[in-house]
Amino acid sequence: MVAKTFGSAVSGVDANLITIEVNVGQGTSFFMVGLPDSAVKESQQRVESALKYFNYRMPRQKVVINLAPADIRKEGSAYDLPIAMGILQASEQVNFPELDRYVIMGELALDGNLRPIKGVLPIAIEARKRGFKGFILPLENAKEASIVNNLDIIGVETLDQAVDFLQGTLEIEPLVTDTREIFYHSLDDNEFDFADVQGQENIKRAMEIAAAGGHNVIMIGPPGAGKTMLAKRLPSILPPLSLQEALETTKIHSVAGKLGKNASLLAQRPFRSPHHTISDVALVGGGGNPQPGEISLAHNGVLFLDELPEFKRTVLEVMRQPLEERKVTISRAKVSVDYPANFMLIASMNPCPCGYYNHPEKECVCGPGIVQRYLNKVSGPLLDRIDLHVEVTPVKFDEMTSTRKSESSKAIRERVIQGREKQKLRFESNPEVFCNAMMPSHMVKEVCQINEAGKALLKTAMERLGLSARAYDRILKVARTIADIAESDSIKVEHLAEAIQYRSLDREGWAG
């Protein structure tokens, strides 16, 4: 007899439907076909042990399991449960009248308990799209899958529960989650707040501009000046995630297995801060079985690179294309997957190896040429993609001990949202661009027009400060964002003047 069950294989951030066909016939062998990897092949031992634990038997006949379509590689241990169900049906030990109406996934322990799996959200989305009645899966993953409506989410803890449910002898209420209520309720649950930061008003202002225009930022300053503390608070002033963005972000974290137990829809923008020893593959994604990297986990959020010059040069160079294209394509001989990577890059660095170059009180002990060599570790093409260069100076004692309350993230966020609204209207006809930082050069000329006084100021600044040609477009984009925050239709001289301040690394001779 041939039995059919349905599972799913995740590719990139999407899922493909997999039909698991089980045939029990004459003979004594066990075959599994359809491009299974080692973890899938090993399911024979787990399934046999789990079946015996609940007094079922593994057929002592010829068992052929086909995972179709055969040209898609099947990976991981999540096929254990559908294979077990197929074997029970094909060997006529039980009868499941509605087996073909459910997608089934789960890893079996030797005692028949179910362990959580990765990529549940894209599988649930695919199951609904294909018109299945429900999705049977480990109980720990049920909350994540319940984000998807119009699909019965049946969370089970053991193989026995799944068998009884499909036989109709056990009733399990489908898990229903009011996603919208949970999502909107936790939108403002930010762990960090700018109200905790004393002083550093100029850096807060730079962060506000960066958030409003989607600009990348690099902070240069001595150790202990507050660079990391400020970076961690940036997500609290970014516009709240839309439901669509939250779904995209949750899908990526689901595929990477980063959601944890009983997780639901992510309502906060992600903040990723990889260590400087990270490899190229861990940053952009990949591996033999392609997985999303840190830049994809930071999708719709912030990627913070602390101590930028300490990162391997190759690691920083592989980021250049994703910064431009807002996605990363991982190609292998047999497979090519796309992961979204639309993130804000925030980097921080010391001005020199000892950390005290340009410090108001402490003296730099680095020798001649060492400062320049240190700064040169960050390549020009990468700096070209960073709009704001901000110098961070240590907080004075008076500011540190001040009792004056700093402006809260909520108040700053309102101005950021208002700035983004202006950009949304501006780029309505261009779906590829949704904030000022993403404008291509030809659009900068149209959108960022300046008057004669502005041109004169920009010309003087470029000549006197020795600003490079790459700084020109960046200054105009940042000035446009400053004007948006100020609710100005045109770029005024004061907006340009403020934007010019944020190009310190472009100044010739900045490092002597």
Side-chain angles (χ1 to χ4, degrees), residues 454-505:
K455 284 178 186 171
L457 173 68
L458 199 47
K459 186 183 177 195
T460 308
M462 291 191 78
E463 286 170 358
R464 283 197 186 166
L465 300 173
L467 295 177
S468 61
R470 83 162 74 101
Y472 178 75
D473 271 10
R474 305 285 163 189
I475 288 170
L476 288 178
K477 285 182 187 180
V478 172
R480 180 65 266 172
T481 301
I482 295 167
D484 288 343
I485 295 170
E487 296 190 64
S488 170
D489 292 330
S490 59
I491 298 173
K492 295 177 180 169
V493 174
E494 58 266 32
H495 304 146
L496 265 176
E498 186 177 356
I500 290 164
Q501 292 176 33
Y502 301 125
R503 295 303 302 179
S504 55
L505 283 181

Side-chain angles (χ1 to χ4, degrees), residues 45-63:
Q45 316 303 328
R46 293 190 294 271
V47 168
E48 185 169 353
S49 176
L51 289 175
K52 281 181 179 173
Y53 193 84
F54 292 112
N55 300 319
Y56 299 110
R57 60 181 171 78
M58 190 74 163
R60 294 292 166 231
Q61 293 162 276
K62 183 180 178 183
V63 179

Side-chain angles (χ1 to χ4, degrees), residues 29 65 118 128 170 203 217 258 266 288 296 301 373 420 465:
S29 45
I65 295 168
K118 294 198 285 191
R128 183 182 65 181
L170 174 68
I203 320 298
V217 185
K258 303 282 185 190
L266 292 176
S296 295
R373 207 175 310 134
R420 285 277 180 119
L465 300 173

